[in-house]
Amino acid sequence: MFSANYFIEKLDMIKHPEGGYYKESFASSENITSNDLRTKFEGERILWTSIYFLLRDGEVSNFHRLKSDEMWYYHSGSALTIYMISPEGELTTAQLGLDIEKGEVPQFLVPKNYIFGSAMNNPGYALVGCMVSPGFEFKDFELFERNNLLNDYPEHKDIILKLTRE
């Protein structure tokens, strides 16, 4: 049976600023400029990038936002819930996993400009893949502070407390 430490070691993963661990896995050899997109970026971007992402017991992916769409792919371990706050302030969730009859899906798209984070549904670990297009760059990554989100979205207090750091 696999463990979180197995994947962290074998995939050479490092800590992610949002929580959990990650490893860059693939990147397009093509670039794109914001002239080709509705979203404006500085300079060029890689067409797409992909990472492995892993959460262990007690870890969460803290609320953050990207300027790009992010496709999530379930790989191994516990199913997880992706929590999203739309630009209009609506909270929605998606269950990422393989138990289709329980409403889980093996892949899910988080639209650009959504505030989102994730947490496991059961003990163990969750290993997923995330592909971002246009490609991920940390300068397009916004990690949220708890008080700012509580001020903007007090109706989502419980999940904000769960997916932010003090």
Side-chain angles (χ1 to χ4, degrees):
M1 188 67 174
F2 298 116
S3 68
N5 289 339
Y6 171 84
F7 288 113
I8 291 168
E9 178 185 325
K10 299 297 181 190
L11 295 175
D12 196 26
M13 300 176 94
I14 58 174
K15 288 188 176 191
H16 198 294
E18 77 192 47
Y21 291 79
Y22 79 106
K23 173 66 176 181
E24 296 173 356
S25 53
F26 298 98
S28 173
S29 62
E30 301 290 326
N31 287 341
I32 193 166
T33 67
S34 64
N35 294 336
D36 303 314
L37 304 167
R38 288 185 218 140
T39 301
K40 296 303 174 199
F41 295 96
E42 292 179 26
E44 290 188 339
R45 290 290 184 274
I46 295 173
L47 186 57
W48 56 265
T49 56
S50 185
I51 64 167
Y52 294 112
F53 182 71
L54 183 137
L55 292 175
R56 301 179 301 181
D57 277 335
E59 295 175 333
V60 299
S61 166
N62 287 277
F63 272 129
H64 61 287
R65 178 169 47 203
L66 301 178
K67 291 183 178 181
S68 300
D69 291 337
E70 182 170 74
M71 180 66 78
W72 287 54
Y73 301 93
Y74 173 83
H75 291 311
S76 180
S78 174
L80 57 78
T81 301
I82 304 169
Y83 299 88
M84 298 159 284
I85 301 174
S86 74
E88 298 76 32
E90 180 185 4
L91 177 67
T92 57
T93 62
Q95 307 301 314
L96 193 68
L98 297 179
D99 196 337
I100 309 301
E101 292 176 2
K102 286 188 178 178
E104 296 173 3
V105 294
Q107 60 186 31
F108 185 81
L109 178 72
V110 176
K112 66 182 176 184
N113 297 320
Y114 273 55
I115 298 168
F116 68 103
S118 65
M120 294 187 313
N121 295 347
N122 298 299
Y125 69 91
L127 176 66
V128 302
C130 300
M131 188 182 90
V132 176
S133 179
F136 178 85
E137 292 198 16
F138 272 105
K139 64 183 171 184
D140 300 326
F141 172 83
E142 183 180 4
L143 189 61
F144 285 87
E145 292 184 12
R146 176 175 288 171
N147 288 336
N148 292 345
L149 286 179
L150 288 172
N151 287 335
D152 291 343
Y153 308 104
E155 68 275 23
H156 306 314
K157 178 182 178 181
D158 291 342
I159 196 58
I160 290 169
L161 292 176
K162 181 176 181 172
L163 297 183
T164 56
R165 298 180 185 122
E166 289 186 46

